[in-house]
Amino acid sequence: MEETTEIVSDGGDEAAPAAVTMDVENGLIEEEKNMDGEVAPALISIHPFEKSVVVAVGSELRLFNLEGNCSVSLIDDPSGPSHSDAIRSINFGASGKFLASAGDDKLVKIWETSSWHCIHTVSADKRVSAVAISHSGRYVAFADKFGVVWLLGLDEDDAKQTKVDKKVVPILGHYCSIITRLEFSPYERFIASADRDFKIRITVFPKLPLKGAHEIQSFCLGHKDFVSCFAFACPPGCAHGFLFSGSGDSTVRLWDFISGLLLATCEVGAMVGSLQYNGTEDGYPPVTDLCVSSDGSIIAVAIQSLRGIVLLSCGFSDRTLSVAKVVTLEDNYFPTSMVLSSLTQRLWMVMGASNLPTLSATQLPTRIRVMSGFHKDPSDYNGHDPITLEDNEVPGGKKLLSELQGSFDVAMEEAALAAAAAAVKASMRNMLIKKEYAIERREMRKRNRNDRKLR
């Protein structure tokens, strides 16, 4: 029942009740904005040939050109809106020609990396939770929080200029389940999508995807909580490859994604042990991110509240998956996002968050760490751990760190990082839980919704 406020009039201003109703609704709108300002983890992505590094913090994209050793200012689409809310996904295409960004402002933006111009902006009806670029660079797929995956076509004209097919089409759906990750398989034969309802769907990607039927190849079923991340790997001698996935059930699993068969499970939370975590956990904490080299020889896992990363060993022939090494990072450093450079095998990590309620924008630290020295044979880790590069050893050096980490109050750094870790821990679950609203708030949302048609 809608909340109303009764005003006893003395015969003066008859517009007073309407004004009070407006004040109540404005208060609800302001409260709604505060509710929607969810904590968002900082993200990192790297050009496939390590030409540039991008960090997303809130609605801000920070870019550093490693070739020119300088920061780069993005040139936005003059005909479209700019990012105004938390960016939830950033992704380079396999060729490095394009970068896609998307998030809570319902925008998908496609950036051409040669000029760093935004060549197209899509306004979606719902918040966007994941984005991926096909290996050929001809398609951009994105998923919204209603569980629908949409596709946008890219092409080149005779002058080698990118043409965007402005018609965005839905290609598959997860039936009202938030999609947490989206990725094209090697050789672009399939598109994989994971959701909060514990499943991974493998869909055949047709030759004419904007017109063709999208056949389900398989479902990978076995996780007992939301699927947070996955990655493809194709070891030598394997025609189709394998799929690794991480989940809120604190496991990493290995799949034959063609058939949907579960091949191996590693209980990473249980195997690493509670002594490795910061504070107490209600059960074992979720896997938050997963990076796998193209041949599957390097498997790096981030676990919520773990001060470091876990390296796994996979036996593809005998279908085994186990913990090879736990690499500890400095106190209070918990990667919120990771990416492995396919060119140099360096692991880039970022820790940070936006919309922290207890900190102002100037107090938000974003911390980048880079790790190298990985071994393809896990037995080589005995006495030879991967190393975390010093600031002056990181590609781009202190200049890169200054540009991508942003400014912050040094005195507040430890407290801010601890606040970021706690907030990201809560936000991961909150993002995947369906919100319940009171009746008056539901009615207000209907009257003030700003959904726009895809264009």
Side-chain angles (χ1 to χ4, degrees):
M1 182 174 179
E2 185 172 349
E3 178 180 327
T4 59
T5 304
E6 184 178 351
I7 303 295
V8 179
S9 175
D10 60 0
D13 188 0
E14 293 184 0
V20 172
T21 301
M22 181 67 73
D23 288 342
V24 172
E25 185 158 299
N26 286 342
L28 285 173
I29 292 173
E30 188 63 32
E31 185 178 348
E32 183 70 24
K33 288 180 180 179
N34 293 336
M35 287 180 63
D36 285 345
E38 297 173 350
V39 173
L43 307 175
I44 190 167
S45 188
I46 191 164
H47 189 280
F49 305 118
E50 212 170 75
K51 293 182 177 180
S52 53
V53 184
V54 178
V55 168
V57 186
S59 62
E60 181 185 2
L61 282 173
R62 303 171 184 171
L63 170 66
F64 193 87
N65 183 342
L66 288 170
E67 286 189 316
N69 195 36
C70 61
S71 62
V72 176
S73 297
L74 296 164
I75 304 172
D76 213 340
D77 179 5
S79 63
S82 300
H83 279 304
S84 59
D85 208 337
I87 296 170
R88 295 290 182 173
S89 182
I90 51 176
N91 210 324
F92 278 99
S95 68
K97 184 176 181 180
F98 300 110
L99 171 77
S101 60
D104 286 350
D105 51 15
K106 307 178 186 177
L107 297 182
V108 179
K109 302 186 79 69
I110 303 164
W111 309 85
E112 200 163 37
T113 60
S114 59
S115 61
W116 289 110
H117 280 75
C118 177
I119 60 171
H120 191 62
T121 300
V122 177
S123 294
D125 283 339
K126 306 292 182 184
R127 296 182 181 189
V128 182
S129 56
V131 66
I133 302 175
S134 68
H135 284 250
S136 65
R138 295 183 58 196
Y139 301 100
V140 175
F142 64 92
D144 64 29
K145 286 200 172 182
F146 198 70
V148 180
V149 175
W150 303 80
L151 195 69
L152 175 72
L154 305 175
D155 213 338
E156 287 185 344
D157 59 20
D158 295 337
K160 298 298 183 182
Q161 296 297 311
T162 301
K163 293 168 55 180
V164 180
D165 185 345
K166 295 188 178 181
K167 182 180 179 182
V168 181
V169 298
I171 59 172
L172 62 98
H174 277 235
Y175 304 103
C176 302
S177 182
I178 294 175
I179 293 176
T180 56
R181 191 63 68 101
L182 193 64
E183 203 71 57
F184 288 88
S185 71
Y187 312 113
E188 210 168 288
R189 286 191 57 201
F190 305 98
I191 183 168
S193 48
D195 64 27
R196 68 175 179 184
D197 292 324
F198 320 165
K199 66 180 180 290
I200 303 169
R201 169 176 165 163
I202 308 296
T203 306
V204 176
F205 194 67
K207 292 183 179 180
L208 298 174
L210 295 174
K211 299 178 181 179
H214 294 78
E215 173 189 355
I216 297 176
Q217 174 68 31
S218 68
F219 282 102
C220 300
L221 304 174
H223 281 297
K224 299 177 182 178
D225 209 330
F226 62 87
V227 180
S228 55
C229 49
F230 61 71
F232 288 97
C234 192
C238 178
H240 301 293
F242 299 89
L243 183 72
F244 293 89
S245 63
S247 166
D249 61 14
S250 202
T251 69
V252 173
R253 300 179 189 244
L254 174 68
W255 307 88
D256 174 355
F257 64 88
I258 299 296
S259 64
L261 181 65
L262 176 62
L263 303 177
T265 299
C266 181
E267 304 275 353
V268 287
M271 295 183 73
V272 170
S274 59
L275 293 178
Q276 295 284 344
Y277 304 122
N278 183 49
T280 60
E281 298 287 347
D282 182 14
Y284 292 114
V287 173
T288 56
D289 208 354
L290 174 73
C291 289
V292 181
S293 61
S294 59
D295 62 358
S297 61
I298 300 172
I299 309 163
V301 179
I303 303 177
Q304 186 174 276
S305 300
L306 177 67
R307 298 185 294 268
I309 62 168
V310 181
L311 299 177
L312 302 185
S313 171
C314 181
F316 291 103
S317 58
D318 56 3
R319 309 299 191 250
T320 59
L321 192 60
S322 60
V323 172
K325 188 75 177 178
V326 179
V327 183
T328 303
L329 295 170
E330 63 190 56
D331 289 345
N332 292 323
Y333 190 89
F334 314 95
T336 55
S337 177
M338 308 187 302
V339 61
L340 183 66
S341 169
S342 57
L343 182 69
T344 64
Q345 306 293 285
R346 280 190 282 251
L347 182 70
W348 293 73
M349 299 169 285
V350 66
M351 177 187 176
S354 65
N355 295 332
L356 293 178
T358 58
L359 298 172
S360 67
T362 58
Q363 295 172 333
L364 293 179
T366 301
R367 284 288 158 265
I368 293 173
R369 296 289 179 264
V370 181
M371 192 174 290
S372 67
F374 294 97
H375 303 289
K376 292 193 173 184
D377 184 352
S379 63
D380 291 340
Y381 285 122
N382 294 327
H384 299 86
D385 293 355
I387 59 171
T388 303
L389 301 182
E390 299 293 337
D391 288 357
N392 60 350
E393 298 174 328
V394 172
K398 294 184 178 180
K399 187 175 182 180
L400 173 142
L401 297 176
S402 174
E403 295 291 342
L404 297 186
Q405 293 181 156
S407 59
F408 61 94
D409 185 343
V410 177
M412 294 288 292
E413 180 180 12
E414 185 174 349
L417 286 173
V424 170
K425 176 180 176 181
S427 72
M428 173 167 278
R429 287 277 180 185
N430 293 341
M431 181 185 71
L432 299 171
I433 295 174
K434 186 176 180 180
K435 290 189 178 78
E436 296 291 339
Y437 296 98
I439 294 175
E440 62 270 17
R441 181 168 286 112
R442 276 205 303 270
E443 294 301 317
M444 183 273 295
R445 285 171 63 85
K446 289 178 183 178
R447 291 192 295 272
N448 294 281
R449 65 186 301 164
N450 64 344
D451 288 358
R452 296 154 290 187
K453 291 183 178 179
L454 289 163
R455 62 179 185 267

